[in-house]
Amino acid sequence: MDISSTFDNMDTGLTQDRPVQMSSFYKEIEPVDGAGNHDVVNNVTIPASGASDPRAQNSLQQSWEMNFQEAAIYLQEGENNDKFFTHPRSAHALSAYLFAHSHLFYVVELLTAVLLMLLSLSEAPAVPFLRLDVYVHATLELLALVMVAFELCMKLRWLGFHTFIRHKRTMVKTSVLFIQFIEAIVVLVRQTSHLRVTRALRPIFLVDCRYCGAVRRNLRQIFQSLPPFIDILLLLLFFMVIFAILGFCLFSANTADHYFSTLENSIVSLFVLLTTANFPDVMMPAYSKNRWSCIFFIVYLSIELYFIMNLLLAVVFDTFNGVEKMKFKSLLLHKRSAIEHAFQLLVSRQRPDGVSLKQFDGLMRFYHPRMTPRDRFLTFKALNHSGAPMLSLQDFYKFYEVIGLKWKARRSGEHWFDDLPRTALLIFKGINLLVKSKAFQYAMYLVVAVNGIWILVETNMLNDGISWTRVVPWSYIIFLTIYGIEVLLKITGLGPITYFSSGWNLFDFSVTVFAFLGLIALAFDMEPFYFIVVLRPLQLLRLFKIKQRYRNVLDTMFELFPRMASLGLTLIIFYYSFAIVGMEFFADVIYPNCCDNSTVAASYRQINVTTGNRTELQEGYYYLNNFNNILSSFVTLFELTVVNNWYITMEGVTSQTTHWSRLYFMTFYIVTMVVMTIIVAFILDAFVFRMNYSRKNREPLDDPEDEKGIVFETEVSQTEALQTLDFYKHTLGVTNLTSLQDMCVALERSGTSLVFLGRRSRTKSDLSMKMYEEEIQEWYEEYSRTNLQTDGTFHRELDSPDAGATNSIN
Amino acid sequence: MDISSTFDNMDTGLTQDRPVQMSSFYKEIEPVDGAGNHDVVNNVTIPASGASDPRAQNSLQQSWEMNFQEAAIYLQEGENNDKFFTHPRSAHALSAYLFAHSHLFYVVELLTAVLLMLLSLSEAPAVPFLRLDVYVHATLELLALVMVAFELCMKLRWLGFHTFIRHKRTMVKTSVLFIQFIEAIVVLVRQTSHLRVTRALRPIFLVDCRYCGAVRRNLRQIFQSLPPFIDILLLLLFFMVIFAILGFCLFSANTADHYFSTLENSIVSLFVLLTTANFPDVMMPAYSKNRWSCIFFIVYLSIELYFIMNLLLAVVFDTFNGVEKMKFKSLLLHKRSAIEHAFQLLVSRQRPDGVSLKQFDGLMRFYHPRMTPRDRFLTFKALNHSGAPMLSLQDFYKFYEVIGLKWKARRSGEHWFDDLPRTALLIFKGINLLVKSKAFQYAMYLVVAVNGIWILVETNMLNDGISWTRVVPWSYIIFLTIYGIEVLLKITGLGPITYFSSGWNLFDFSVTVFAFLGLIALAFDMEPFYFIVVLRPLQLLRLFKIKQRYRNVLDTMFELFPRMASLGLTLIIFYYSFAIVGMEFFADVIYPNCCDNSTVAASYRQINVTTGNRTELQEGYYYLNNFNNILSSFVTLFELTVVNNWYITMEGVTSQTTHWSRLYFMTFYIVTMVVMTIIVAFILDAFVFRMNYSRKNREPLDDPEDEKGIVFETEVSQTEALQTLDFYKHTLGVTNLTSLQDMCVALERSGTSLVFLGRRSRTKSDLSMKMYEEEIQEWYEEYSRTNLQTDGTFHRELDSPDAGATNSIN
């Protein structure tokens, strides 16, 4: 790379070059200005080139700044997968856009949504110790709703009325807001809560939050998987009805058999049987009459449970597979399109096919304001693959791969203690070799295994389970000392940075620290912290490091964790809606001895039975599974999710209300079945993807190379560094240049040049890039073909970058 | 194809050519013979070429026959995936091999094995109405065992002692036979059954049957999936133990909570919770004390049930995927190797790189004795892709693709009624157009839908469910008439052959016939056939034809059926073994009111409760789930498979026996979990494979082209046909040539030439061939590379066919 020419170009570019395309924000900033020379590019008036008056110069500078900002916004939209039709169109929209995309705004948005959802803890039927008066919670709700309304106004200002009403999600939010507003006012006026099923819609505010993008994606995926799911569900229900008719014909003659006494009972029994929850009870009356009747149930379960239910999983898995790939494709192409938009805003009229460092730096000041000049320079160099003085569009396509890198000079030495005096060096070197040796590792595994057996034996011997927490067992202290020494040795031997950069070491460290806390709790007799003691067995998890497969599995587990959490949150949103509906209809219908006229009376019983002279409480406990407040509802819904014995809750509620209540429970079952199937499909997909990936690339995923993640290398020479420093100082006029100065100092010390390493952790997207390598090329070709054929909805001149460039050159 | 040269070559080949390689059977047939000219090929003496004496001629003929037979055996071994080290080595072995590979032998083998297994119906504890005296069933058993011993002797004779003891499966079978023999004699002597757990090994005889090859493959697949399965299982159990310790620490202080009172109870409770069978009961005592304790259970279930259990499926699915592909690969290469072996036996010394029709015909006489000369000729022509007079090895590689074809001359007309007189033709043409029209189809769908709703409404109105079967409802007759007319129209319109070749039509037909039988049953008041009536709703299944996805799903279902059946059989074999063990240990321990000192006493209760003046039987019914005979055991084991409430059976048995009984139930749970996971993985794999296949080939699997399956076309000219007839009649001396004569007659009628179509249904193997197209080439290359490098275990001269050919030419 001819570095001097780079800076030459930049220098001339700074004063002479005008942007090929003007930012859409520009025209409002610079109102129509009669004076001066203007020529029209893209219907926007800009000062003509060669104009030497300072106003024109200033205006040119300002127009570049606008372009940088808009390019940064395009790149942000590409990263966040925001559609371009929500791109701000004017300077007013820009300020609203910037406001609505600040972290403060996001946090307020999230807090408002969470507050609204949490209100149901205090609204009747409330959790006892959180009950609030009606006027308090209604006022809080109104405040929160006003907040939401304000957020919507900002969005309206940013999007413009026309785009606003075209944006479906926002429209739904607006109408829900409207209804809730009216209802909150009604509640405040009447001073009492009416039947407010609409509260079940509150999660919409949460889902719309910027920080809940993952939940939105999950919901979209669920809806995309729905059509095939529903098809198979119909097949399932069809067989259920056929068997219900058959069962009714066969077994209704048996008066002892209430499961098939009517067609409705027959259908309900078979629906519950689908979840296996009433098996084998549902079979027993018929079976005791005629032993061959078991064939009916075996055939039913074989077809429904073992075949069609698995088919359901297969269909969802298959759809899921396709959807994941399509999602990746559309995201990739969206990013590519964003990069093209940004590129077009960054090139100058003189050199319409390249982005110089000056322009790149300008972009980064908006895109990543916290990035130091050194990192901006290094990122530019990393992008610049061809060595030409400017970034071509091909270089710029790699923008998203490079932008997250953390830059660091490559260290000359291997270990943290290389700079210490000789004696210390030898000691630390010894420790380093020790902790890296196989023998040390296996000795530790042995200790952990012995510890595990010890805990098991110890616990088994303490069968009264009360007194043992009072004394500190000596074995605990011994094992803990060993673990403590191990942690210390490893930290000193490897250096804290290397040590803590491994997930497994972090795990070891935190478990050991927790165990120490437990010891302190034991020593000082702090009752509430006893539970920490029982976390000790978690040390045993380390044993699973021994085997490759476990490392794979546990690594996948950690990788899956964020996605699992978002799926969990999605489930909670469904729970919330169902809990609200449940509370509105079934609050306080369940209580001890409530359901004596139902078939599940025994489970709700709470009576004192006197046998001889001893009075004993006979507990059915199921009255605890109620909808009396939102916390109880959540627990009840979790029990319904697990589906075992869920019909007891269903029948209990049904016996206290109407037959239609069953609809609620059955709907809930089907909804959770969908979500659960998606979760299973997701785990299957993630795991199989990982396995295929490591098979395709013939490399285990956990080799040390891989732990580094993605690494980019860039070599910087001393002259280059000084030139850059000079360029930043004089041409750009940046004042805070410590990072660049540090680099120059380091270069002086090390000699002629220094290699910088940019690292980031590997993401699913990187894996997908490698997996679909061949297809990606096809997608790109297809994408550029369609772009040449059709025009986009707006920024038409941009969709084909080459065409745009030629236009502006003429 | 130059047909005359083909026959020329054949003619000369008949008298002159000697085989390149001699069958290993040959040398014993023809003992060392001092007279005549012999030269040594492959250490076998054969008459020298040009020898004109009839004895040498006869001997040459015989040596060819031997070669044909051995080639046919190789091809059979390739087809059945029999390893070549069990290939018969001598004439004695050959006769034993032929005997042991006759269908009679297979049937006897199967019947013996089934008889042995069925004996457990009559042995104590026997099914009441099948009880036999000890000397009867012991004698039967001895007879069956003698039969098995005889079969083993035949195998010994065929394999030779050395191979016999190397064959693991046979050795296991021998030792089991030995033990069972001794035991049967002991039973016969003592006249009473002792504890005979070894009966659980009886399924080994069944698994070893030729007809149970699919079961063997399943078992192999299960064992191959075991290592990863066990790894994850250990992880599962590990978390279970950690949580058991934690649960014991947290909840053992609560005296009302018997689930966590000891560490053992704690582990058992959490094991059962893994199957969700005791949820939420297991949580309730703790939950009623402290509402936050639900977190323990939610976390446990989330980790174990929703994460690790799914991981288990993912791992098995992944392994399964790989195993299926490897199986296909090894089968493919084995077939290729078999074809090469056979080819080497069929080529002559004069023309060592081709198989002539004469030799092919000789082979087919052994391989497919029932095949007509015409079909043999057509198969030869289908194989002969290059048009050369002989089959090259490349041609011959397609042997297995072509061999199953059913040949038929392409009809000149489209419909079966094309040859009828004009009036009839028009009528049938009209019917044909009618039944093929969309309108007719949708009208039928409408009828079926109306029928479905009718049945539902009708059943719902008859809520007493007793009297309705006595009268024939008029709606039944009307709908049945419509269906009957439809079937008749379709049969006449499409012709019976076209009609019955579609699976869906067969389904329609059989359901309609069943419905007619039901009507007759109703009309004649035949009680036992009432159940046929309730099969009516099955007609509704036809509605699912409307949608593409359902057709896909249902077709996959039909395709999967054979494999599912074999998986079911595998499951039954596991059931059998567990049932025997269960009967030996737990027979008669369960009876009404048996378990009063256990926690599940209520489920076993059977008492008369008198409330006021009404006496009511309070039934717990669970005493029916016992191990009192093999049929009850099977039902009980099915209930354990479904896992809901399985702990009631476990606790009942445990309270009557010892704690160790739980081991039986837990082992059974884990075994069924393995089999069930395999079944799920299998369904997933089959379905996803099908979807991928149809995506890859961009064709829906159910287009009409596909229904034809695999089709080969061969054109036969009149001269060719006559030449072939002549060749068969005079050169080969075949007497029964009706098939060829018919062909000649048909050719005379139709003109110069006729196209013959060979069809067979598409198999999974065909789909796999297309799916792995690219990889297959790699496999072949790799295979020929390794064959060039290393020598096989025997038939060394065969492993590289070219080398072998050169040898014999010299």
Side-chain angles (χ1 to χ4, degrees), chain B residues 261-273:
Chain B
S261 56
T262 66
L263 189 62
E264 189 201 334
N265 280 349
S266 192
I267 291 176
V268 171
S269 298
L270 289 185
F271 189 94
V272 177
L273 181 55

Side-chain angles (χ1 to χ4, degrees), chain A residues 408-596:
Chain A
K408 230 199 284 181
R410 181 188 276 165
R411 288 187 61 90
S412 51
E414 236 184 312
H415 307 299
W416 67 276
F417 45 76
D418 284 333
D419 304 334
L420 293 184
R422 178 140 184 89
T423 331
L425 181 90
L426 278 180
I427 292 173
F428 284 120
K429 188 102 195 160
I431 295 174
N432 182 283
L433 289 177
L434 175 72
V435 296
K436 275 185 171 172
S437 67
K438 283 259 171 239
F440 183 78
Q441 272 180 37
Y442 283 102
M444 282 317 296
Y445 289 143
L446 190 71
V447 169
V448 173
V450 169
N451 190 4
I453 295 164
W454 197 277
I455 292 173
L456 209 61
V457 171
E458 203 181 50
T459 316
N460 201 26
M461 292 193 348
L462 293 159
N463 260 345
D464 48 355
I466 299 169
S467 65
W468 71 283
T469 46
R470 289 289 173 271
V471 285
V472 183
W474 58 266
S475 63
Y476 186 21
I477 298 173
I478 290 177
F479 282 115
L480 200 51
T481 315
I482 299 177
Y483 295 144
I485 291 170
E486 188 213 359
V487 166
L488 285 179
L489 280 179
K490 277 198 163 174
I491 291 183
T492 49
L494 300 172
I497 297 162
T498 321
Y499 180 81
F500 286 112
S501 63
S502 149
W504 280 105
N505 285 339
L506 261 179
F507 174 77
D508 286 359
F509 182 77
S510 45
V511 169
T512 311
V513 167
F514 267 118
F516 264 108
L517 291 180
L519 186 70
I520 293 166
L522 275 181
F524 290 93
D525 238 26
M526 292 187 288
E527 283 249 13
F529 294 104
Y530 278 137
F531 75 94
I532 291 179
V533 182
V534 290
L535 294 179
R536 281 185 304 161
L538 278 184
Q539 282 278 3
L540 299 182
L541 256 185
R542 290 169 56 177
L543 283 179
F544 287 97
K545 263 199 301 187
I546 300 179
K547 213 168 164 182
Q548 167 69 39
R549 194 191 311 281
Y550 289 123
R551 278 202 301 267
N552 254 338
V553 163
L554 290 170
D555 286 347
T556 315
M557 205 161 151
F558 288 128
E559 258 176 38
L560 292 187
F561 191 76
R563 189 68 199 282
M564 290 294 282
S566 80
L567 276 169
L569 194 58
T570 313
L571 197 62
I572 283 178
I573 281 169
F574 280 110
Y575 269 33
Y576 186 87
S577 297
F578 273 94
I580 295 284
V581 175
M583 275 156 55
E584 293 292 357
F585 291 112
F586 311 132
D588 299 317
V589 306
I590 298 289
Y591 43 83
N593 304 316
C594 63
C595 313
D596 272 343

Side-chain angles (χ1 to χ4, degrees), chain B residues 543-557:
Chain B
L543 283 180
F544 287 96
K545 265 199 298 188
I546 300 179
K547 209 166 167 183
Q548 168 69 36
R549 196 193 308 283
Y550 289 123
R551 279 202 300 267
N552 253 338
V553 163
L554 291 169
D555 286 347
T556 314
M557 207 159 149

Side-chain angles (χ1 to χ4, degrees), chain A residues 652-724:
Chain A
V653 169
T654 305
S655 74
Q656 296 291 99
T657 55
T658 72
H659 278 218
W660 295 104
S661 310
R662 282 184 182 142
L663 219 59
Y664 171 81
F665 291 93
M666 289 182 175
T667 313
F668 180 75
Y669 171 68
I670 289 173
V671 169
T672 49
M673 187 163 74
V674 177
V675 181
M676 284 298 161
T677 313
I678 296 273
I679 289 180
V680 176
F682 163 68
I683 293 177
L684 268 180
D685 182 69
F687 202 84
V688 171
F689 178 86
R690 223 186 127 91
M691 290 290 123
N692 278 342
Y693 173 81
S694 73
R695 234 176 267 135
K696 187 165 181 173
N697 296 287
R698 319 232 167 206
E699 52 163 78
L701 268 169
D702 67 331
D703 61 352
E705 284 309 305
D706 199 88
E707 265 185 53
K708 286 181 193 160
I710 305 289
V711 179
F712 275 78
E713 278 188 21
T714 295
E715 196 175 347
V716 180
S717 68
Q718 204 172 349
T719 44
E720 205 179 359
L722 288 172
Q723 268 177 322
T724 312

Side-chain angles (χ1 to χ4, degrees), chain A residues 621-635:
Chain A
Y621 288 123
Y622 272 76
Y623 59 87
L624 291 170
N625 305 327
N626 53 41
F627 292 91
N628 292 356
N629 62 55
I630 191 138
L631 294 184
S632 296
S633 303
F634 266 71
V635 175

